[in-house]
Amino acid sequence: MEIAVVQADCVDYSTPLLAVMLFEDRGSLAAPVAGVDERLSGRISEVLQRGDFKAREGQHLLLYPPEGAIAAERVLLIGLGKREDFDLERIRRAAATAVKQAGRLGVASLATLAPLQDRQPSENVTVKNARALAEGAVLGSYSFDELKTKRENNASQPGLRRMDILEPVEERVAAMEAGVRVGSALGNGESLARTLGNLPGNYATPEYLAERARGIASTFGMKVTILGPSEMEQEGLGAILAVAQGSEQEPRLIVLEHRKGPAEAKPLVLLGKGLTFDAGGISIKPSQGMEEMKFDMCGGAAVLGAMHAIGELDVPANVVGVIPSSENLLSGRAIKPGDVIRSHLGKTIEVVNTDAEGRLILADALSYLRRFDPAAVVDAATLTGACVIALGAQASAVCGNDDGLIEEIRRAGDRVGERVWPLPMFEEYREQIKSDYADIKNSGGRPAGTITAAWFLREFVGDFPWAHLDIAGTAYGEGKLAYQTKGATGVPTRLFVDWVLSRAS
Ligand code: BES
Ligand code: MN
Ligand code: ZN
C-alpha cells in the first residue's frame, strides 16, 4: 500500500473515506476535527454526546455527510480510548481499523489525520506518530491469500491502494514523511515474515527460504552465503545435519550480511530458527494441531523480514542475519532418542528427545556465527511449548547472558508493541541438562523448559552479549489485534529492526 503525507485541510480534501481518530474524554473537539464537526453541523459531537459512539479503543462508526458539507464522501470515526492511556500501539490499531473498514467498503483510497495529543507536538512525536500510522496501515492491510484461487472479499482486496495522511501544518510534513518511510519499511518487513510463516511446509522449504534470502541480498546489495549438506559436512555442523538426516529436504544455513556501518564496527547478529516443519522426529508429536508446526520457522522468517526492512531503510550499521533451516521428520535415517551427536563447537550432545531439535540447529548456528565477531547477538525461536504455558500470547520470553542487552531488547519490544518478558537463568537450572553419556543433553524435562532450553543455547554462545527470544506463544495466533490476522504475526521483526535502529543512532 502506498502511504503519502499531504499538506491539506481535511474538510477540503476529496476522498472516498476520511478516517478521524478521537479520544474518549469529553470536552470540546480540537482542531482539525472541530472543523469537520462544524461542517457536519455538529454530528460528531452529537454522537459523542448521545453516547452512541464513545470513542472507546477499537470502536468505530461510519457517517455519511450531507451532500456538499465536506469534500470527503464518508467519515469514519475511530476510538482511541482515554487520552491518559494513549500510546503508539493505539495509533497502530486505529490505523489498522481504518484500512480494514476501507477494505470492507471497497474504496480505493482513504485519508486520515495524525491524532494530536497536544497542540504543538515535538518533531520527535510527529515522526513517531506518523511511523505508527504507517505500521498499523501496512499491517492492517495484510492478508495471506497466495494459496487461494479466488481472492476473498476482505481488507486486502486489491481495491485499497493508498492512504493519505493529511497535515495542515507545512513544517510538519517532512518529519511525518520520515516517520512514514520507517513505518512502511517495518510493515513491509513484518508482512514478509508473516507470508513466509503462513506458507506451509511444502512451499516454505529450507531451499525456498534460501531463495528468498538471495532475493533480499540482490535487491538491497547484501552479501549472501548459503551452506548445503556438503558445505555443512566440511564445516562440521553436525547438529543441524543430525536434525535434517530424517528428511528428504536438504538443510540450509543462510547468512545475509548488510555492511553499511563503519568498516571496523562489529556487526549486530540476528539469528532465527528456521525449522520449516517440526513433526518431532522419532519423538513424534501428537497429530492434533501438528499442522501448526509449519510455523516453526517464524524466528527465521522474522530475521528475513528484519533484513528486508534494514535493506529498505539502508540502515547505517553492520548487521548479519543467520538462519539455520531444516525439517524435523521421521524416517529410517532419522536420529533416534539416545543418539549422541557432535556439534560444530565440538561438544557432544545426547539427543534424549528428537523433538528438542530447535536448540540443536541453533547451537551449530551460534558457534558458526562467532566468525563474525559480533557486537551482540539476538536470536528468536519458537523453541518451547513451556513458553506458551508461561506467557501465552501476550509476551515473548527473553533470556540471555547480559542484563544490559536484555533490557535493551525489552525496551525495543515495548516501543513497537512486541512485548518480551525476562525469565531467570539461575545456574541451578543448568543441572537439568547434564548428560551421563555426552557433554550435554538436549532436554531438561518439563520443569522450567524455556529456561533449560536457553541454558542449552548458552553452552554454544561465545564471548559476546547474547539475548534469546522464545516466540513459541507470539509467532502465530488468532489475529485478535486490529493489525493482525489469523496465522503468523511476524513477531519479532519490528523489535529486531527497532533495536538495530537504536544501536545505529
Ligand atoms: N517447535 C517446538 C516448540 C513449540 C511448541 C513451538 C508449541 C510452538 C508451539 C519445539 O521444537 C519443541 O518441540 N519443543 C519441545 C521441547 C521438549 C521436547 C524438551 C517442547 O516444548 O515440548
Ligand atoms: Mn520440536
Ligand atoms: Zn521445533
Side-chain angles (χ1 to χ4, degrees):
M1 186 169 53
E2 198 192 323
I3 302 175
V5 181
V6 180
Q7 197 209 331
D9 193 331
C10 57
V11 291
D12 302 325
Y13 194 73
S14 283
T15 173
L17 183 69
L18 176 66
V20 175
M21 300 173 188
L22 293 170
F23 288 106
E24 195 177 327
D25 336 271
R26 301 211 142 231
S28 58
L29 294 170
V33 181
V36 180
D37 188 42
E38 196 178 308
R39 296 275 277 269
L40 297 183
S41 323
R43 291 232 189 132
I44 298 179
S45 17
E46 189 188 337
V47 291
L48 284 167
Q49 233 140 51
R50 288 196 182 189
D52 294 6
F53 173 78
K54 296 193 172 69
R56 293 219 170 103
E57 141 100 295
Q59 253 191 328
H60 52 84
L61 181 75
L62 189 62
L63 300 178
Y64 288 86
E67 185 78 41
I70 58 171
E73 290 167 35
R74 304 171 186 82
V75 174
L76 179 68
L77 306 181
I78 298 175
L80 287 170
K82 293 211 167 69
R83 200 177 285 265
E84 66 258 32
D85 299 333
F86 182 73
D87 60 7
L88 294 173
E89 184 67 5
R90 301 237 163 159
I91 299 192
R92 289 184 199 103
R93 293 180 192 179
T97 300
V99 300
K100 281 197 170 159
Q101 293 308 314
R104 235 154 254 160
L105 290 166
V107 297
S109 67
L110 80 155
T112 190
L113 316 159
L116 279 184
Q117 294 109 290
D118 45 65
R119 273 172 217 286
Q120 293 294 330
S122 68
E123 176 164 329
N124 191 26
V125 167
T126 305
V127 174
K128 283 183 180 167
N129 286 355
R131 172 181 145 174
L133 277 177
E135 278 177 47
V138 174
L139 292 174
S141 67
Y142 175 82
S143 81
F144 180 72
D145 37 29
E146 269 80 350
L147 304 180
K148 298 208 173 181
T149 52
K150 278 197 212 108
R151 291 200 176 253
E152 276 184 8
N153 185 27
N154 62 20
S156 73
Q157 56 176 236
L160 184 63
R161 276 190 298 271
R162 182 185 170 90
M163 182 171 91
D164 293 320
I165 306 175
L166 308 181
E167 172 54 60
V169 182
E170 193 195 345
E171 290 72 44
R172 280 190 211 129
V173 170
M176 291 175 69
E177 282 172 341
V180 166
R181 178 170 171 264
V182 176
S184 297
L186 288 164
N188 292 338
E190 193 147 294
S191 297
L192 168 62
R194 287 181 181 181
T195 295
L196 295 174
N198 287 329
L199 282 170
N202 63 327
Y203 285 81
T205 59
E207 171 53 21
Y208 179 82
L209 295 183
E211 195 46 40
R212 298 300 297 254
R214 289 185 196 103
I216 292 169
S218 77
T219 307
F220 300 114
M222 297 178 188
K223 181 179 174 193
V224 62
T225 310
I226 313 276
L227 277 62
S230 53
E231 293 88 357
M232 289 180 183
E233 209 77 65
Q234 268 165 17
E235 281 282 350
L237 292 154
I240 181 166
L241 282 166
V243 171
Q245 77 190 34
S247 164
E248 294 291 320
Q249 292 290 337
E250 289 183 356
R252 296 285 184 264
L253 181 67
I254 302 164
V255 181
L256 274 173
E257 293 177 62
H258 170 91
R259 301 273 180 187
K260 297 290 176 75
E264 69 287 356
K266 294 180 178 187
L268 302 173
V269 178
L270 306 176
L271 168 64
K273 172 178 174 181
L275 211 294
T276 58
F277 187 76
D278 182 11
I282 300 299
S283 314
I284 190 169
K285 288 183 182 294
S287 50
Q288 173 88 49
M290 201 202 268
E291 70 279 7
E292 293 187 349
M293 285 301 120
K294 71 173 183 177
F295 294 118
D296 213 16
M297 35 59 72
C298 283
V303 171
L304 288 178
M307 294 307 287
H308 190 284
I310 287 163
E312 192 178 325
L313 293 171
D314 206 19
V315 179
N318 297 328
V319 186
V320 179
V322 181
I323 302 152
S325 183
S326 163
E327 290 185 332
N328 185 26
L329 296 184
L330 310 77
S331 81
R333 291 164 41 87
I335 41 168
K336 303 170 291 295
D339 283 2
V340 174
I341 62 176
R342 191 182 168 81
S343 68
H344 177 254
L345 189 60
K347 289 190 185 184
T348 55
I349 304 166
E350 183 194 0
V351 180
V352 293
N353 191 322
T354 65
D355 199 9
E357 84 299 334
R359 64 198 75 183
L360 298 176
I361 68 173
L362 288 167
D364 268 4
L366 278 165
S367 68
Y368 179 88
L369 62 75
R370 292 177 181 203
R371 69 193 59 201
F372 299 114
D373 190 18
V377 176
V378 182
D379 79 70
T382 45
L383 206 60
T384 65
C387 187
V388 187
I389 302 303
L391 297 171
Q394 304 311 322
S396 306
V398 60
C399 292
N401 63 3
D402 186 291
D403 287 341
L405 179 60
I406 289 171
E407 183 58 19
E408 269 181 61
I409 293 302
R410 215 185 55 70
R411 291 212 182 129
D414 281 353
R415 288 195 296 268
V416 300
E418 296 182 342
R419 280 187 300 204
V420 305
W421 200 256
L423 292 180
M425 287 196 78
F426 303 134
E427 285 281 340
E428 287 81 353
Y429 290 117
R430 195 181 194 164
E431 303 290 316
Q432 289 175 235
I433 52 171
K434 283 191 171 160
S435 168
D436 296 322
Y437 305 102
D439 294 334
I440 186 176
K441 62 182 179 183
N442 77 330
S443 169
R446 284 164 60 87
T450 305
I451 299 170
T452 55
W455 261 114
F456 182 93
L457 298 180
R458 191 165 174 170
E459 294 287 328
F460 299 87
V461 172
D463 192 14
F464 44 74
W466 157 76
H468 154 66
L469 299 174
D470 195 326
I471 57 168
T474 51
Y476 59 96
E478 292 304 312
K480 293 238 165 70
L481 300 180
Y483 61 76
Q484 293 178 341
T485 51
K486 186 177 161 78
T489 59
V491 168
T493 302
R494 288 178 299 122
L495 181 157
F496 274 154
V497 181
D498 198 278
W499 174 65
V500 167
L501 288 172
S502 74
R503 284 276 185 134
S505 65

